[in-house]
Amino acid sequence: MNTFELDILLPPLSRSAGARHAHPFGMRVLQRGVIFADLAVAQIAGLGVILAGLLDLGERPLLVQAIAVASALGGAALLTWIERNMAEVKEACIGLTFVLAASLGILLLSRDVHAGEHLQDLLVGQILWVNDTQLIATALVSATLLVLWRVLQLRLGHFGFYALFALAVTASVQLVGIYLVFASLIVPALMTYRLTRQRYLYAFAIGIAGYAAGLLLSVWLDLPAGAAIVWAMMLADC
């Protein structure tokens, strides 16, 4: 591997280490039986990003992030209502929420000549081009959320869980895309759900191995990084 490839791969690989804060949330999602929740929240956060773009706020990243967070928290409130009032069909309702949010995003971008590029960025991200400022900001948010989760998890109600979950997803979705956010949450948790010892260690290893292998494949074979990482993470446990 040459120096140029290392310069490209090291920042997103560092990002992958930061993304592992999602494991406790992914495991909790499996326990609660709300697998579509991360897709729905990520897509709703993405709607905030799309709205910010339509308002020509792309040059004001903090404002874009604020709109995405507000959207995600609105999604958290909606998921809380669904879990409290429609518990027997909550997974169907959450899945429908994802589809409706995704469809609305397509409608909002329907007159944008660059809609295809925007949708691709939203779905699979631009992890190869993450900068240091984004890495530091996301790492700080991730560390804060992990501490809050460890301290408050036994006292979190429905909305508290979904709110922390929404913030965790929003911190990642603009960097790595909706698909990779979902895979980072669910794949390591799913691959280790039968383990009773060192589950987090194995989940972390699966995530890191998947990111590293996917990034290498994306550079060597000129493949979209996000999609390559999703598949590499899935195959890392084989």
Side-chain angles (χ1 to χ4, degrees):
M1 183 181 300
N2 58 41
T3 303
F4 175 72
E5 289 174 340
L6 281 175
D7 289 341
I8 292 177
L9 292 179
L10 284 179
L13 191 55
S14 299
R15 165 72 190 111
S16 75
R20 306 278 60 79
H21 76 279
H23 285 326
F25 291 102
M27 292 171 183
R28 187 60 177 154
V29 161
L30 286 182
Q31 292 171 0
R32 293 175 76 111
V34 287
I35 307 303
F36 286 117
D38 53 343
L39 277 175
V41 170
Q43 188 65 63
I44 292 171
L47 279 179
V49 176
I50 290 173
L51 180 60
L54 293 176
L55 295 174
D56 293 324
L57 299 176
E59 301 301 319
R60 303 174 66 180
L62 290 179
L63 187 53
V64 173
Q65 189 69 15
I67 294 173
V69 167
S71 299
L73 289 176
L78 176 59
L79 296 188
T80 301
W81 184 88
I82 289 172
E83 187 158 349
R84 286 175 176 170
N85 296 280
M86 306 185 72
E88 67 278 7
V89 289
K90 63 183 179 183
E91 188 69 352
C93 292
I94 293 171
L96 180 59
T97 299
F98 163 68
V99 171
L100 289 172
S103 299
L104 181 56
I106 292 172
L107 291 174
L108 290 174
L109 289 173
S110 62
R111 298 187 184 280
D112 188 335
V113 295
H114 301 292
E117 298 173 17
H118 294 324
L119 286 174
Q120 180 172 330
D121 289 346
L122 188 62
L123 293 175
V124 298
Q126 291 286 345
I127 192 171
L128 288 179
W129 313 115
V130 175
N131 60 46
D132 291 340
T133 300
Q134 291 171 311
L135 283 174
I136 293 170
T138 304
L140 290 174
V141 171
S142 299
T144 302
L145 292 173
L146 182 56
V147 170
L148 288 173
W149 171 256
R150 295 296 187 189
V151 172
L152 300 175
Q153 60 175 311
L154 296 178
R155 288 176 284 173
L156 289 174
H158 291 313
F159 180 73
F161 167 74
Y162 282 121
L164 278 184
F165 183 70
L167 293 174
V169 168
T170 306
S172 300
V173 71
Q174 293 180 63
L175 300 186
V176 301
I178 292 171
Y179 293 161
L180 195 46
V181 166
F182 179 82
S184 297
L185 280 163
I186 297 302
V187 172
L190 186 61
M191 294 299 183
T192 59
Y193 80 98
R194 291 182 176 175
L195 298 179
T196 57
R197 299 178 59 187
Q198 297 183 319
R199 184 182 181 188
Y200 287 105
L201 180 61
Y202 282 109
F204 184 89
I206 290 171
I208 290 295
Y211 269 75
L215 287 168
L216 288 172
L217 286 173
S218 71
V219 171
W220 290 341
L221 302 178
D222 192 25
L223 297 171
I229 294 169
V230 169
W231 271 97
M233 195 182 306
M234 187 65 196
L235 296 173
D237 194 47
C238 296

